[in-house]
Amino acid sequence: MNLGSVDWLALGEIIWINALLSGDNAVVIAMACRGLPSGQRKMGMILGAGVAIALRILFTVIIVALLGVPYLKIVGALALLYIAVDLLTPSGEGEGDVKTSESLLRAVGTIAVADVVMSLDNVIAIAGVAGDHFGLLIAGLVISVPMIVAGSAVILAVMDRFPLIVWAGAALLGFVAGEMLVDDVALVDRFGGEYVHSWETTAAVTLAVVVVAVGWLVRRAKTRNGRHSAAS
């Protein structure tokens, strides 16, 4: 893999997106391991992270391969837009369904299953950034998943303290969605690769702005509804 400046930038994007979208996963890991004896907690988190890495690589490689099918990148881009807006309007639901595990094997299984179920957004986003660079894809996942496990509390605290990180991350997802959208095989075949790719930056920037604007409007609407409900 040629690690030029573009590759380093993409690797940074993969790590950032994975950390940004894995807050729920970090909570799941903590909850699954909190019932273990203190001596087994670290091992449970390490083994769980290892299984999570292997499964994410498998599913991401499958999705990258499928993105070569016409119109699937368009669908993936639309899904990524939804994920980006949803990131700005978190519901905070779902983590409470994860049970504390009292055995190491059960904790690892809980982490692995929860990570697969909750990581579709990560997989779609990372596939969009990595494209056909499988080495870059694997490197980003191998670096970011242990980082999330080891620093889950720190990551969550930083995001709570600096909300701008979340907004910037959502804009990045919109940017990736724009790049993915214009790179769909169907559009390239119909209009020609040179013409389609000439719109790549415009589409990416436009969708990044759209994500931030829609996210802001949705948050504002929810705030107003909450105030009305409290008043009544």
Side-chain angles (χ1 to χ4, degrees):
M1 180 176 61
N2 178 25
L3 289 178
S5 58
V6 175
D7 288 327
W8 282 111
L9 177 61
L11 180 62
E13 289 180 353
I14 289 173
I15 294 172
W16 184 10
I17 288 172
N18 209 21
L20 187 68
L21 293 176
S22 294
D24 291 346
N25 304 62
V27 174
V28 167
I29 290 170
M31 293 183 68
C33 292
R34 67 179 178 178
L36 295 175
S38 57
Q40 292 186 359
R41 287 182 182 177
K42 183 179 293 186
M43 181 59 67
M45 296 177 75
I46 292 173
L47 291 176
V51 175
I53 291 171
L55 291 175
R56 284 202 197 188
I57 289 174
L58 174 62
F59 291 131
T60 309
V61 167
I62 291 172
I63 286 184
V64 168
L66 289 176
L67 288 178
V69 177
Y71 300 108
L72 277 185
K73 281 193 176 181
I74 295 176
V75 174
L78 295 176
L80 203 51
L81 288 175
Y82 174 81
I83 291 165
V85 173
D86 188 62
L87 179 66
L88 297 176
T89 56
S91 61
E93 297 173 356
E95 294 87 351
D97 297 331
V98 179
K99 297 180 180 179
T100 299
S101 300
E102 297 180 355
S103 72
L104 180 61
L105 185 61
R106 184 173 295 178
V108 172
T110 299
I111 293 170
V113 172
D115 191 82
V116 169
V117 171
M118 300 170 64
S119 295
L120 179 60
D121 51 0
N122 305 59
V123 169
I124 292 174
I126 291 170
V129 174
D132 296 326
H133 301 286
F134 291 105
L136 182 66
L137 172 102
I138 294 172
L141 289 172
V142 168
I143 292 171
S144 55
V145 173
M147 179 187 70
I148 292 162
V149 174
S152 58
V154 176
I155 292 171
L156 293 174
V158 169
M159 289 182 181
D160 287 339
R161 187 176 179 84
F162 301 103
L164 184 60
I165 295 175
V166 179
W167 286 89
L172 174 60
L173 293 179
F175 192 92
V176 172
E179 292 181 326
M180 185 186 297
L181 182 69
V182 299
D183 197 39
D184 188 88
V185 174
L187 296 180
V188 172
D189 289 345
R190 184 177 180 84
F191 299 106
E194 185 175 347
Y195 176 77
V196 169
H197 290 306
S198 68
W199 285 91
E200 188 171 288
T201 301
T202 302
V205 172
T206 299
L207 291 186
V209 173
V210 167
V211 163
V212 173
V214 173
W216 181 80
L217 290 172
V218 172
R219 286 175 70 100
R220 186 179 179 185
K222 284 191 173 183
T223 301
R224 285 182 175 178
N225 290 336
R227 288 175 180 172
H228 289 316
S229 297
S232 59

